[in-house]
Amino acid sequence: MQLNHYLNFQGKTEAAFNFYKSVFGGEFSFLKKYSELPDAQVSDKEKDYILHVSLPINEFTILMGSDTSDQFCAQSSTVFTQGTNHYISINLDASEQAEAKRLFDALAINGQIEMPLEKTFWGALYGAFTDQFGVKWMVNCQLEEM
């Protein structure tokens, strides 16, 4: 299992991560925009928003992030607030599916589920929630190669 920091922005992820890359060095290991979604139905304003970016910092840490979309915020009743745009991301491999479910279920007790733990189009078992103490979490169990 690996814990990483996941940052959300509203249209500023690309600029922020280019800045972080200039500070930490390295290259993005993953970068996708909303326009690359299967059956993408995003506004012109959001088509160049970042769906997901990963910047390896060292062998133990990956800084990850994305832009929030108006559509996603409306669907999940999430409000983007600068300063509270941070998640702890738990990342597991395919052999740890049971542990992913256990962690999701245990940490989400008395919390608010943003996205239930389920298989995604990017080949992972994924879910997100805010725990009972207001901490935002993501659980991502990668089932297939990206």
Side-chain angles (χ1 to χ4, degrees):
M1 176 177 29
Q2 184 179 42
L3 295 177
N4 291 303
H5 297 282
Y6 200 102
L7 307 175
N8 290 127
F9 297 92
Q10 200 163 35
K12 296 183 180 178
T13 300
E14 189 165 14
F17 271 76
N18 280 325
F19 170 74
Y20 299 142
K21 185 168 86 167
S22 76
V23 172
F24 293 109
E27 296 297 326
F28 299 131
S29 60
F30 190 88
L31 177 67
K32 291 280 185 200
K33 295 187 177 190
Y34 274 91
S35 60
E36 297 176 72
L37 274 170
D39 302 321
Q41 296 177 11
V42 294
S43 68
D44 284 342
K45 172 184 125 183
E46 296 177 345
K47 69 178 169 55
D48 288 327
Y49 275 18
I50 302 299
L51 174 66
H52 179 79
V53 60
S54 296
L55 177 63
I57 303 299
N58 59 38
E59 65 181 300
F60 307 107
T61 307
I62 301 171
L63 184 62
M64 296 181 279
S66 65
D67 285 308
T68 60
S69 73
D70 293 337
Q71 179 181 349
F72 174 76
C73 287
Q75 288 174 346
S76 66
S77 301
T78 302
V79 177
F80 175 83
T81 305
Q82 188 69 36
T84 61
N85 51 327
H86 180 268
Y87 285 80
I88 298 173
S89 178
I90 300 172
N91 299 281
L92 304 115
D93 64 34
S95 67
E96 300 174 292
Q97 291 179 55
E99 180 68 353
K101 181 168 178 20
R102 185 191 73 77
L103 289 168
F104 184 91
D105 292 345
L107 288 166
I109 291 172
N110 297 323
Q112 182 174 353
I113 294 176
E114 188 176 306
M115 184 174 172
L117 188 67
E118 58 190 19
K119 189 158 185 200
T120 65
F121 69 86
W122 64 86
L125 189 61
Y126 172 85
F129 58 92
T130 302
D131 73 16
Q132 61 186 312
F133 301 104
V135 176
K136 293 177 161 285
W137 295 85
M138 296 175 169
V139 175
N140 190 80
C141 182
Q142 198 62 44
L143 305 174
E144 303 168 13
E145 293 276 331
M146 290 197 305

